Amino acid sequence: MTRRRGWLPVIVGIGIGVNTARLRGRLHALDVIDLQGGDLPGEPAAERSAHTRYVLLTTPGIRLSDEQRRAATAHAHSRGLDVLDIVPARLPPGRVLDLARMVDPTTYRASRLARGRGAGFALLVDRDLLVRAGVATADRPRFHDRTEITDLTEAEMVAAVQLGKRHAAANADLAVLPGLIGPDADDGRGRLALQQAAYAWEPLLRVLPALRDGAILAGAAGSPAGAAGAFALSWLQPAVVGGRRVHVEPGALARSPITRRSIAAAQVRHAGATARELAAHRTAAAADQPADSAPAAPGRDGDTPRDPLVVSVRPDPAAVARQRPGYRADLAAGLDRFFEPTQRTCPWCGGPNISLRMRGREVAQGKPGVFRVDRCADCGHTFQNPRLNSDGLDFYYRDFYDGLGAATMEEVFGHSDEPYLARARQPIPTPRTWLDVGGGHGHFCNSARIVWPSTRFDALDIGAGIEEAARRGWVDHAHRGSFPDLAGEVKGRYDVISMFHYLEHTRDPRAELDVAATVLDPGGHLLIEVPNPDSAATRWYGSLWPGWLIPQHQHLIPAGNLVEALQERGFEVLETAFGETHQKGDPVIATYGLLQRLAPSPALPWREVDHPGRGWAARVLAIAALAPVFAAGLVVDGLSRPYLTSGTRSNAYRILARRL
């Protein structure tokens, strides 16, 4: 057995070598700031304006000379940057690897949805951006009307980098500043803050180094030379990756195997502190008293101003405690009051031949309730029956897209530009104006500018997220309200109106189509994407199919019905696309739904758990048991794609229509 494992260090060593070359290529793609470029061309007044445009944020111990700051400012200004992450020319070994692993400089600026990541020591930020983001406001004297803030914690700097990229989607970048010296050694707490933010939704990436070292040790007895070589490559990796671009001090490199333990110790301390914090808030909530760090007044988390320089990677226990009394009161009043009377006829065609298609639960958040979904035998329309009333919709939408769920949705919708670019690439003339109805947090509009850079992108939504999209600059104008209510305001103003996964949420999809027909002028285009109720995935995953999104999706419309409805309203249907409209992730999301059924989180404010410790233990065990299923889901997702993208089997479809 020992000999059989002897190949492990060799394979790992080869992997380290290949990865070292990849990471070195990344760091050597970083721009280097020209220290002689501190004098901006043009009039002196313009030069003064440029130098006062930016605010410098640094962590303690990082100091820029006047020459370095002028050069960094000139670099940012000349390249049209609103945010510049200034990378020290010398860094500790661990931070060199963190930077190279997190950021690909060749794509960072162009990728409008890329997570904000950087070295985390010094940041130049446009003053107006800080105001838009709610950082440099009059009620925040630490940041208001300042040109330099030198006391940001590691966590605050990480948040500032993320905030900067979100508010300067195409105007944020990184560059190395010659002569700037970072810390002498790796700091476990600082690296932990950086990694938590960067890998909050990719936890496996945080443990890969430990798995690598474990594999080397496991095969050391069978191949001592291979293990020694792999450890040597791992030890020297930071110096090779940094090269001449980001220097690693030899003494720090020599000590790095020891200082690596600091982050492990920081993780242990952080886990203990988190457990104590959760326990304190749980105890306080049980007594109907706020914990020390929680405001006494209950209410929606969305109503409480959030510190923009706090990284949110999980629901804040204080916010959960604030929400618990409201949810407790809602549930005590019963769930029956959230439903309208059962419909006896199809809401689409009026036919009486309706029957049960499935029953399901809300699994995304784990809120209580069982929901019935019916299907019309006459037209194939699928709908929630009985449907939720306005109070019910409020209850089940609460803390999903905003509030406690905001951080999760930010990651879900901001994972990749790819689906948004596919939606934007349509065979239409260059639009002057585009309105995205149900625009959410503006992710589509932000990414679509890559395809249509000269187009004005506005968005409409009932949620507060659309106003945040305007503050970020992701949409040019935000219309907050319902589409029917704002029809007069938007009539005749747009060449294209899009509805991406919007109609299925509405109470009356046909009424929404009526408004679109009224608002669009002849020649205007309507672009719709919705889940496909006839997809093979509905049978494979049953009530756990993500396309049901119980209970938010009230209507699932067969493609033929939607085409007919558009034609009746004066539209010419140019294309009905299935195939590549298919969305990734069904097997993995369905497995997550199963986890939510088996062992939902005991920390949720709508759940009353007598023994939270047992609840957490059950969840950990369920996650461990389902880990192979999650992994298999990734494989199944890829293997099933050719089948699901052929014919009309895809889990979604898209229609492009022109107003006649």
Side-chain angles (χ1 to χ4, degrees), residues 440-491:
H441 292 72
H443 291 81
F444 166 76
C445 294
N446 182 33
S447 295
R449 298 178 191 278
I450 297 173
V451 179
W452 306 106
S454 64
T455 299
R456 174 187 173 91
F457 283 95
D458 295 349
L460 182 153
D461 202 279
I462 61 174
I466 205 63
E467 295 173 337
E468 173 65 15
R471 286 190 290 271
R472 293 180 181 183
W474 288 12
V475 304
D476 293 303
H477 181 75
H479 300 277
R480 187 174 181 185
S482 73
F483 189 36
D485 289 344
L486 297 177
E489 183 178 329
V490 301
K491 179 178 171 57

Side-chain angles (χ1 to χ4, degrees), residues 283-519:
T283 302
D288 283 336
Q289 296 293 328
D292 291 341
S293 59
R300 291 193 188 183
D301 186 54
D303 297 333
T304 305
R306 183 179 65 83
D307 188 341
L309 289 187
V310 172
V311 179
S312 179
V313 297
R314 60 177 174 82
D316 175 30
V320 172
R322 287 195 299 270
Q323 295 287 63
R324 197 175 296 279
Y327 277 109
R328 185 178 294 155
D330 280 334
L331 294 171
L335 299 178
D336 290 344
R337 64 192 179 92
F338 289 149
F339 293 91
E340 295 182 349
T342 301
Q343 300 180 70
R344 303 302 178 188
T345 58
C346 173
W348 188 268
C349 73
N353 298 317
I354 59 175
S355 59
L356 174 68
R357 179 163 183 173
M358 54 156 273
R359 284 189 175 90
R361 296 179 177 273
E362 199 278 353
V363 294
Q365 292 181 294
K367 288 182 177 178
V370 178
F371 302 86
R372 174 181 173 127
V373 176
D374 284 350
R375 183 181 185 276
C376 175
D378 296 324
C379 70
H381 186 73
T382 298
F383 60 101
Q384 184 185 109
N385 191 26
R387 70 178 183 178
L388 292 169
N389 57 29
S390 58
D391 289 339
L393 291 170
D394 176 81
F395 177 81
Y396 285 102
Y397 271 85
R398 191 186 312 166
D399 291 312
F400 191 92
Y401 297 100
D402 299 301
L404 299 179
T408 300
M409 288 299 105
E410 185 77 57
E411 291 297 321
V412 170
F413 291 130
H415 180 69
S416 170
D417 285 307
E418 181 183 338
Y420 305 114
L421 297 178
R423 293 168 184 169
R425 295 186 181 112
Q426 297 299 319
I428 58 176
T430 301
R432 294 167 300 138
T433 53
W434 187 312
L435 176 66
D436 187 35
V437 177
H441 292 72
H443 291 81
F444 166 76
C445 294
N446 182 33
S447 295
R449 298 178 191 278
I450 297 173
V451 179
W452 306 106
S454 64
T455 299
R456 174 187 173 91
F457 283 95
D458 295 349
L460 182 153
D461 202 279
I462 61 174
I466 205 63
E467 295 173 337
E468 173 65 15
R471 286 190 290 271
R472 293 180 181 183
W474 288 12
V475 304
D476 293 303
H477 181 75
H479 300 277
R480 187 174 181 185
S482 73
F483 189 36
D485 289 344
L486 297 177
E489 183 178 329
V490 301
K491 179 178 171 57
R493 293 175 54 182
Y494 296 98
D495 299 328
V496 179
I497 291 179
S498 56
M499 298 176 172
F500 299 119
H501 293 271
Y502 165 76
L503 280 180
E504 63 268 30
H505 289 264
T506 63
R507 295 176 66 76
D508 187 351
R510 294 173 304 171
E512 303 288 334
L513 297 179
D514 290 338
V515 175
T518 301
V519 166

